[in-house]
Amino acid sequence: MLTIQILILLFVIFALSRTFLKFREGKLSRGWLLLWLLFWISVGVVVLLPELASRLAALVGITRGSDLVVYLAVITLFYLVFRILVKIESLEQEITKVVRQAALDEDRGKE
Amino acid sequence: MKIIAVIPAYNEAKTIGGVVKSTLPFVNAVYVVDDASIDETGRIAREQGAIVVRHAVNRGLGAALGTGIRAALDHEAECILTLDADGQHDPTEVPAFVSMIERGLADVVIGSRLLLATGMPAARRLANHLGNLATFLCYGILVTDSQSGFRAFSREAAAGLEIRSNRMEVSSEIIGEIRRKGFRLAEVPIRAIYTDYSLGKGQSFWVGLKTAYRLLIRRIGR
């Protein structure tokens, strides 16, 4: 096994343990637990069986398995960032709503 | 007609007193929206006779305007003015705005500093033209002073415009909303009063860039 495979596998084990810990602490719902488990296990599988990535890559017309992994990772990251930005915008609106309400309530209260 | 002036303010303790005092004679009430200033803006405004509405945390020009307009509407305003807190606007010009609203000649009146060639620094003029261009590209209306904070709204216009911007891109968004909701827009010439104070405060190039970016995001999001 290559060094990188061992390192990533170690990290996957670490990530899995952290995921379980957060779930036990009540900070992760069952849905999220499942999602993250699936994700990290997939990472582990691809690392243990790199031929799998190569096979998938060939299926979609790319030469190297690692290229496919990087493409998917980048697309996923962009999508997640998009979701985060949308969420932030929504939060900004909500904060203004609350601050406005408090300000107006205070104004009405004075009468 | 009940006229209320809305003045959003953030750390303008130096000038807010004078602005409130000189605006009061021309309106029924002055509402200052204190956007969580850390100086004495709120207290000074209140002392000069303004009703002060205070944000607990700083939300930006757009949010402050929204709050002020909401408060004015709640207090049955029939004509709502907006002015800057830094003394750049001459309150004696308020009647010109009010008269257009009163006579039903327009639903929204925006004061333009570029209708009269009055000593606006070249850098500001360029920034303004860029702002006008950005507003045109985003909303399809070309006005001569899109970033002007000196405005008047009829009650229906004030109530009908949906303002979502929190920060400085609100000026452009207002113009876009006017078009979207089909309100009538008119421009009146205004004097821009530049003092060392207001010039020193001037928004930097980077703020302008950030505002343009926020405007773009806001426009795409619509």
Side-chain angles (χ1 to χ4, degrees):
Chain A
M1 263 220 283
L2 299 168
T3 319
I4 183 74
Q5 286 176 296
I6 299 174
L7 286 174
I8 295 180
L9 274 175
L10 282 174
F11 184 78
V12 168
I13 293 170
F14 167 73
L16 280 172
S17 69
R18 301 287 303 174
T19 307
F20 270 112
L21 200 76
K22 291 296 167 187
F23 174 68
R24 212 90 61 84
E25 284 175 14
K27 293 195 180 143
L28 274 184
S29 70
R30 235 190 298 228
W32 279 112
L33 172 70
L34 236 65
L35 217 76
W36 282 115
L37 279 186
L38 213 70
F39 174 73
W40 288 117
I41 290 173
S42 317
V43 172
V45 166
V46 171
V47 162
L48 274 173
L49 308 168
E51 322 86 63
L52 191 66
S54 303
R55 205 102 53 85
L56 283 167
L59 253 162
V60 290
I62 314 167
T63 334
R64 292 175 15 176
S66 52
D67 283 357
L68 176 66
V69 171
V70 172
Y71 293 162
L72 289 178
V74 168
I75 291 173
T76 308
L77 282 173
F78 269 116
Y79 176 68
L80 288 176
V81 168
F82 163 70
R83 291 288 302 259
I84 291 175
L85 289 177
V86 168
K87 183 70 184 167
I88 289 179
E89 173 62 26
S90 161
L91 283 173
E92 292 265 36
Q93 299 284 353
E94 290 179 341
I95 291 176
T96 294
K97 227 187 250 179
V98 174
V99 173
R100 176 166 301 155
Q101 195 58 45
L104 293 176
D105 285 348
E106 199 190 323
D107 174 56
R108 282 187 210 118
K110 287 202 204 114
E111 288 153 25
Chain B
M1 196 169 71
K2 187 168 186 190
I3 309 165
I4 294 186
V6 169
I7 306 177
Y10 179 57
N11 295 338
E12 300 282 11
K14 279 210 179 83
T15 49
I16 192 67
V19 174
V20 171
K21 192 159 166 213
S22 51
T23 307
L24 268 173
F26 299 98
V27 299
N28 296 109
V30 172
Y31 278 63
V32 168
V33 183
D34 177 6
D35 198 9
S37 305
I38 35 190
D39 63 9
E40 296 290 307
T41 298
R43 184 183 60 82
I44 295 173
R46 199 171 289 121
E47 274 170 12
Q48 293 302 320
I51 297 179
V52 178
V53 177
R54 198 190 139 80
H55 279 172
V57 290
N58 180 265
R59 298 307 299 155
L61 175 68
L65 272 179
T67 300
I69 290 175
R70 177 85 256 140
L73 287 171
D74 285 350
H75 288 264
E76 281 101 43
E78 290 159 291
C79 174
I80 300 176
L81 274 300
T82 67
L83 281 94
D84 285 357
D86 61 1
Q88 201 190 96
H89 297 143
D90 182 1
T92 64
E93 293 171 329
V94 164
F97 287 78
V98 175
S99 130
M100 296 219 64
I101 301 285
E102 217 164 12
R103 292 185 290 161
L105 295 173
D107 303 308
V108 182
V109 183
I110 297 185
S112 170
R113 295 163 285 183
L114 293 160
L115 284 180
L116 299 170
T118 58
M120 192 188 225
R124 288 293 171 92
R125 235 177 304 139
L126 175 64
N128 234 287
H129 284 307
L130 290 175
N132 296 343
L133 180 64
T135 306
F136 173 67
L137 290 174
C138 287
Y139 297 113
I141 322 188
L142 189 61
V143 297
T144 60
D145 195 352
S146 58
Q147 304 308 304
S148 171
F150 205 163
R151 320 173 185 89
F153 301 88
S154 69
R155 192 184 168 79
E156 303 104 286
L161 296 174
E162 287 171 46
I163 303 305
R164 303 231 184 100
S165 302
N166 274 332
R167 307 252 163 214
M168 284 169 56
E169 69 276 14
V170 67
S171 302
S172 299
E173 196 204 7
I174 286 176
I175 292 168
E177 271 297 287
I178 291 171
R179 180 178 203 221
R180 201 174 73 95
K181 293 283 168 76
F183 288 116
R184 297 163 301 157
L185 173 63
E187 290 187 304
V188 295
I190 58 169
R191 241 180 94 214
I193 305 171
Y194 287 108
T195 60
D196 286 329
Y197 171 70
S198 61
L199 280 174
K201 228 185 35 98
Q203 304 302 334
S204 69
F205 172 71
W206 293 115
V207 173
L209 211 63
K210 232 200 302 189
T211 303
Y213 162 74
R214 294 182 62 100
L215 179 63
L216 192 66
I217 299 296
R218 170 86 34 214
R219 182 65 186 97
I220 295 175
R222 243 246 167 257

